[in-house]
Amino acid sequence: MGDMGMSSAPPVHTVAAFYRLLAIEGAVLLGVAMIVYLVMRFWRTHGEGFRQEFGLEPRGASSSGSLYDVDPAQARARTLAVWSLGSLWIVDGLLQAQPALGTQFFTSVIQPVMAGQPKWVNDAFLSVTQLVFTSRPLWFDSLTVWIQILLGVGILAGPRRFIGRLTLRLSIVWSFVVWAFGEGFGQVLSGGSWLMGSPGSVLVYAALAFILLAKGETWRQGRVKHRMQWWMAGWFGASALLQALPSAGYWSAHALSQMEMSMAQIPQPHAMAAPLYAFAHALSHGGPWWNALFVAIPLALALGWFIAPESRTIQVATSVVLLAVWWLGQDFGVIGGTGTDPNTALPLFLMTLVHHLLPRDGSSPWRRLRAPRSTSA
C-alpha cells in the first residue's frame, strides 16, 4: 500500500552515496550468484560420481518437484500467478530504490502509515523502525531493495524448483514484516479504506504465495480454486466492513472528498490529476451517500464470489471495480510521492485473472456448504 506523500529532495551527495552502495551490493550479489551457479553446474555434472564414491545412492529420477506438477489445464493459471507475484516484488524493490527513500524512508513512509495508530502500535513498532531506519538509513533501505528484488527473481524460478519454493516461503514471512512495519497493519486499526488500499497489498502477495506452494494434486482437484473463492469473498466482505465502521469517519460529509483531494494535489501530469479533482468534487456532494455506495460495492462482490464466483458477470464486475479503484482511488499506487508498491487493486486484479484461467467446475462456496446437507437429507 504505497505512500503518496511528498517530501523534500535529499542532498545530491546523499543520493550518490545511496546508489553507489546499491551498485556495490549488486556487484557482490552478482558474484555470489555466479559462484552458486558454477557450483550447481559442477554438481549437476559430477555429483552422481561423488555420491557413488562415498556410497550414497543417487536420488533417482523422481524428485520433490514432481509433487508440484500440474496439468496443462492449470499450468497457464499458475504461470500467471508466478509471473505476477515475482514481477510485483521486483517492482516493489525498484520503487524502494527511489532517491527520497534512501534517507527519508522513515519520514516519508513509516511515519505517515503509523499516524493515527493505537498507542501500543506506536510504542511497539514506531520506535523499532525509527531506530533501524535512522541509525543506518542508506544500508537498511538498500537491504530492503535487494530483499524484494531477490524475492521476485527467486519466485520466477517457479514452485517446481527448490529455490522457488524456498523463496515463496520467505516471501510470506517478509510480507507480514512489510504489512506490520511498512503498511501499519494495512491501516485496519486507524480507519483504513479499501479505496486507498486497506487491508494491505502485501496480504495479497502472501495469498498468492500460499496458492503457489500448493501441490499439484491440490490444483488438479480444484481446491486451489475453491480457496481463492473463499479468500476473495472474505476480502471484499472485510473491505465493506472497514468502510462501514463509524470509527473510520467516512460517513461524514467531506471525509472522502478530502481524502481524494489530497491525492489529486500530489504533483503529477495534469491529465492524470484532472480526473481525481473531478472525482473529489463529486464526492464533496452527498458524502454519506457515496460512502453507502462504497460499502455496497464490495459487499455485492463478496456475495458474488460466495454464490457464483465463476459467473462472467462477477468476473467482469470485479475487474472493472478493481481497475477503477486502482485509478481513481489509488492513483496507480506509484504516481507522485514515494509509493513503495503499486497498491492493492492491481494484485487483486491479477488474482482475479488467475482464477478466471482455472478450469470451471460449477462450484461455489455456497454450493459446497449446502452439499453435505443435501446428501444427508
Side-chain angles (χ1 to χ4, degrees):
M1 194 166 58
D3 174 68
M4 296 182 183
M6 289 297 294
S7 58
S8 58
V12 174
H13 64 86
T14 304
V15 174
F18 175 56
Y19 285 114
R20 186 163 55 249
L21 180 60
L22 281 176
I24 293 172
E25 292 171 340
V28 172
L29 288 171
L30 182 61
V32 172
M34 287 297 298
I35 293 173
V36 172
Y37 172 75
L38 292 174
V39 170
M40 290 177 64
R41 283 286 302 270
F42 177 83
W43 185 255
R44 189 176 294 119
T45 305
H46 304 287
E48 185 175 345
F50 277 98
R51 289 193 297 266
Q52 292 176 349
E53 181 71 22
F54 289 97
L56 300 174
E57 290 294 329
R59 294 177 62 182
S62 62
S63 68
S64 61
S66 62
L67 297 175
Y68 293 86
D69 289 340
V70 296
D71 294 339
Q74 297 91 29
R76 281 198 310 158
R78 194 174 72 172
T79 299
L80 175 60
V82 168
W83 280 95
S84 296
L85 184 57
S87 300
L88 285 168
W89 276 122
I90 291 173
V91 168
D92 288 3
L94 295 176
L95 290 172
Q96 193 73 33
Q98 295 176 87
L101 297 183
T103 56
Q104 300 171 337
F105 183 73
F106 180 77
T107 56
S108 298
V109 177
I110 301 297
Q111 280 186 330
V113 301
M114 288 295 178
Q117 298 283 356
K119 185 178 183 299
W120 68 268
V121 174
N122 282 312
D123 291 344
F125 292 91
L126 192 61
S127 57
V128 174
T129 52
Q130 183 176 17
L131 176 64
V132 168
F133 283 98
T134 57
S135 60
R136 296 289 187 273
L138 298 184
W139 191 86
F140 279 106
D141 190 67
S142 62
L143 177 65
T144 306
V145 171
W146 289 115
I147 285 175
Q148 297 183 152
I149 290 177
L150 291 175
L151 285 177
V153 172
I155 288 170
L156 292 179
R160 293 189 70 254
R161 296 181 174 88
F162 170 77
I163 187 63
R165 297 191 296 276
L166 175 62
T167 311
L168 285 166
R169 294 185 176 97
L170 293 175
S171 75
I172 293 172
V173 176
W174 183 250
S175 293
F176 287 103
V177 171
V178 174
W179 187 61
F181 290 93
E183 295 189 346
F185 299 98
Q187 304 295 295
V188 297
L189 302 176
S190 57
S193 168
W194 69 282
L195 298 171
M196 293 295 172
S198 292
S201 59
V202 289
L203 293 184
V204 188
Y205 293 18
L208 284 169
F210 275 114
I211 288 169
L212 289 171
L213 284 170
K215 293 182 171 61
E217 181 182 6
T218 307
W219 285 83
R220 290 188 291 271
Q221 293 177 349
R223 284 185 285 168
V224 166
K225 185 172 188 175
H226 301 161
R227 292 171 185 173
M228 292 176 67
Q229 293 168 356
W230 275 108
W231 196 88
M232 294 292 282
W235 181 278
F236 284 118
S239 299
L241 178 62
L242 286 174
Q243 195 72 30
L245 288 174
S247 59
Y250 297 119
W251 294 104
S252 62
H254 300 291
L256 290 171
S257 61
Q258 290 173 353
M259 184 173 63
E260 185 73 13
M261 184 62 71
S262 65
M263 184 173 61
Q265 291 172 345
I266 293 173
Q268 57 188 300
H270 175 73
M272 302 192 70
L276 304 183
Y277 278 111
F279 192 41
H281 179 72
L283 292 173
S284 65
H285 302 285
W289 291 104
W290 278 106
N291 196 59
L293 176 64
F294 296 144
V295 172
I297 288 174
L299 184 59
L301 291 178
L303 290 173
W305 278 91
F306 182 69
I307 296 172
E310 293 185 336
S311 165
R312 185 172 296 275
T313 300
I314 297 301
Q315 297 292 314
V316 172
T318 302
S319 300
V320 170
V321 167
L322 290 174
L323 292 177
V325 167
W326 192 43
W327 173 29
L328 296 175
Q330 300 171 9
D331 203 10
F332 302 109
V334 297
I335 303 301
T338 51
T340 55
D341 60 68
N343 218 315
T344 307
L346 179 61
L348 277 175
F349 171 73
L350 294 172
M351 182 176 284
T352 303
L353 292 183
V354 172
H355 177 272
H356 179 69
L357 289 178
L358 289 171
R360 299 166 64 90
D361 58 11
S363 66
S364 69
W366 170 246
R367 289 181 179 176
R368 290 192 297 276
L369 283 177
R370 287 172 55 90
R373 296 182 182 178
S374 61
T375 54
S376 61

